[in-house]
Amino acid sequence: STIGYGDMYPATRAGRVLVMVILLFVLMIFPSLISHIEELSDGDDCSDEDYIISCIVSLWEETRYVNFELRKLDRQLEKQQQRLLRTTEARTTTTTTTGARTTTTPEAQG
């Protein structure tokens, strides 16, 4: 068996065995799993009103939770921005030393 266009193929014995096992799974076991999954479905999932209502309620609850988390993150971001602003303001308070005399710039005093 080859992979893709045939330009890549398993060169070792272990690689060939692995490819054979994968092919057997895909060709024999996987279709039977699909048929079992299909049997579990009654094929009428979307037409049931109760199911649709429960899906809408679930989506509504999920939307409320996401909205709550977004508000919480927004508050955290605002706090971090305020902290960052305070630290940058503190860093802009520049002092220059000239010999024995220290002066502070007017921007830093405000």
Side-chain angles (χ1 to χ4, degrees), residues 92-94 103-110:
T92 57
T93 308
T94 57
T103 59
T104 305
T105 61
E107 302 90 43
Q109 292 177 356

Side-chain angles (χ1 to χ4, degrees), residues 12 18 37 68 71 73 100 104 108:
T12 63
L18 179 65
I37 292 171
F68 171 76
R71 279 189 263 131
L73 288 172
T104 305

Side-chain angles (χ1 to χ4, degrees), residues 24-43:
L24 286 175
F25 175 77
V26 169
L27 295 175
M28 294 172 55
I29 298 170
F30 188 68
S32 68
L33 290 176
I34 296 292
S35 67
H36 287 296
I37 292 171
E38 190 270 330
E39 287 174 9
L40 294 174
S41 172
D42 59 359

